[in-house]
Amino acid sequence: MRLLLCLLCCLPLHSLLAQPLCTSPLRVGFDDWPPYHYYQQENGHRELRGFAVDYLNAVSARLGCRLVYLERPWKRGLHDLEQGRLDIAMEAYFVEDRARYAWFSDAYNPGRTALWVRKSGDKGEQDLASWLARGNRLGVTRDYNYGPEIARLLQRYRAQVSEVNDVQNYRKLQLGRIDGFLGDILATPWGLKREGLAEEVVPHIMGVYETPTFFMLSKKTLSGEFVQRFNQALEAVGKSEEHALIWRRYLPAR
């Protein structure tokens, strides 16, 4: 017993007081947005799949934390994160207002947006501004953040821009009511395939917009120290073979 007490005395105080990193499962909000997070039928029951889900699972495994996924509409998920009813939100762009109530992890996805057009609609313009200047009509997704530069461009050509949801953009393009729409480089091929339009709509050759995406972590429930550990695990996943495997798993077939 005396030897045990001596050994304990030699340990740093922070080691004696250290608590488990996750004392309870982390609550993760998600909505249906393949291939980032979505349900898939497996052996007669639904399994949650997706690029962001797989990435977060890999991070949590390194942290030794358990996760529970809770389905929420995106806006409600952000509200619940702010109120501390969720711990993590996935696949988020940085917005200054969100930084009031959430930590942002290091980036894990380049977050590319493309202009999607009918196969016969690519006329070789080099940027979105010149495409719009030719009078083309553009569909965008309601409540989606395209960044300040694109937002200013959309405002300048607002008479040519319609704001709806993803599926409505697909159909409006098919019917000739718009000439193209902005869509995520991973999510759009999945949506087009689901709607039976994968052979009709293609990404324009021009580059449009790229901004990284992050995990958001609630400031009400998680500490800065936890975020630091989270980012270390995120970096470890990014440097591992697992990163490439996850990316290839959800990259659309060419």
Side-chain angles (χ1 to χ4, degrees), residues 65-133:
C65 296
R66 292 183 296 131
L67 304 175
V68 56
Y69 288 93
L70 303 171
E71 190 168 6
R72 300 281 190 275
W74 176 244
K75 283 190 173 181
R76 181 185 165 192
L78 293 180
H79 180 71
D80 284 354
L81 194 78
E82 182 176 8
Q83 298 301 312
R85 292 189 287 267
L86 288 176
D87 302 299
I88 300 177
M90 299 182 287
E91 199 60 26
Y93 292 112
F94 179 83
V95 177
E96 193 68 43
D97 183 62
R98 297 173 184 172
R100 292 185 299 102
Y101 59 85
W103 311 99
F104 282 81
S105 73
D106 292 339
Y108 67 97
N109 179 14
R112 297 187 181 97
T113 294
L115 172 66
W116 298 81
V117 296
R118 292 182 296 274
K119 278 191 174 180
S120 59
D122 187 344
K123 298 297 190 292
E125 293 88 349
Q126 295 302 304
D127 54 59
L128 188 61
S130 60
W131 188 85
L132 285 166

Side-chain angles (χ1 to χ4, degrees), residues 192-212:
L192 291 171
K193 183 177 180 180
R194 186 163 56 183
E195 295 299 314
L197 299 172
E199 299 301 318
E200 300 178 35
V201 180
V202 297
H204 195 287
I205 192 172
M206 73 170 70
V208 174
Y209 181 60
E210 181 173 321
T211 188

